[in-house]
Amino acid sequence: METKNLITAISSDAAAGRRSFGTLLRAAFVAASVIAAVVFSVVAGPRADFAAAAETWRFLLKFVVTLALVATSGAVAIALARPGARLGMRVALLAAAPAILLGAVLIELTTIAPSEWATRLVGTNNMVCLTLIPLIGLGPLAIFLVAMRQGAPTRPSLAGAACGLLAGGLAATLYAAHCFDDSPFFVATWYTLAIAILTVVGAIAGRYVLRW
């Protein structure tokens, strides 16, 4: 085979592989979302006043933050599934969700009386939050790790952490529909801790599951 034809064949195989892996990742995200939704519906379900809550900015902000995390962590996870991929702007974009939440916290600080800060931070369901987000996210995390194994991650712990972060964002998005604590104080504290649990679990699991 001539060199030119060989290069063309290799390029075609690589392009086909990327398309196949991309399809796998999309399928994994759909499957993870379905599993998370089923677990959520069984263990929690949406809050009774969902429609009324949806008219308030604090409630809607939770979804803005968690969906931003899903989008940015997903981009990082996809990059880490390929050897030698440059993270670059993808890592920088991870700051989007925290930045949005920080802005909301500052608004809360300036509009709510200091005497209410502690109450809003502690909330009424902090232990439920720390339990349900990891519980809802465990299934998606497992699916993301399995999908990641079909790639070629060269940094298994970091790739696993990205999977955990993505699973945490997905789980937190669903849990936000159930949670009655809408204050940015609460979200910044307890949602962050709950998502961090999945991120750490993902990093530990990735160290072993994604090694090759």
Side-chain angles (χ1 to χ4, degrees), residues 122 124-134 175 186 190 193:
V122 175
T124 57
N125 294 292
N126 48 50
M127 290 298 104
V128 175
C129 177
L130 287 180
T131 302
L132 289 189
I133 289 180
Y175 175 74
F186 184 92
W190 303 105
L193 288 173

Side-chain angles (χ1 to χ4, degrees), residues 112-204:
I112 300 299
S115 59
E116 297 184 31
W117 290 355
T119 300
R120 288 175 177 258
L121 185 149
V122 175
T124 57
N125 294 292
N126 48 50
M127 290 298 104
V128 175
C129 177
L130 287 180
T131 302
L132 289 189
I133 289 180
L135 178 62
I136 295 169
L138 281 177
L141 173 57
I143 290 176
F144 294 145
L145 288 172
V146 170
M148 183 75 78
R149 274 184 61 86
Q150 309 311 308
T154 55
R155 289 168 281 185
S157 294
L158 189 58
C163 289
L165 192 60
L166 176 57
L170 179 60
T173 300
L174 289 167
Y175 175 74
H178 170 80
C179 181
F180 285 91
D181 295 298
D182 299 334
S183 172
F185 293 162
F186 184 92
V187 176
T189 303
W190 303 105
Y191 279 53
T192 299
L193 288 173
I195 292 171
I197 292 172
L198 282 168
T199 303
V200 171
V201 171
I204 295 172

Side-chain angles (χ1 to χ4, degrees), residues 46-108:
R47 54 195 278 182
D49 64 339
F50 184 91
E55 297 179 1
T56 65
W57 73 267
R58 288 181 176 85
F59 180 75
L60 295 177
L61 177 79
K62 295 190 295 185
F63 296 96
V64 173
V65 171
T66 57
L67 288 174
L69 180 60
V70 168
T72 55
S73 61
V76 171
I78 290 172
L80 287 170
R82 301 187 179 96
R86 295 181 179 178
L87 298 179
M89 184 57 67
R90 292 182 179 89
V91 171
L93 289 175
L94 280 176
I100 295 170
L101 188 53
L102 176 60
V105 167
L106 292 176
I107 292 174
E108 195 89 327

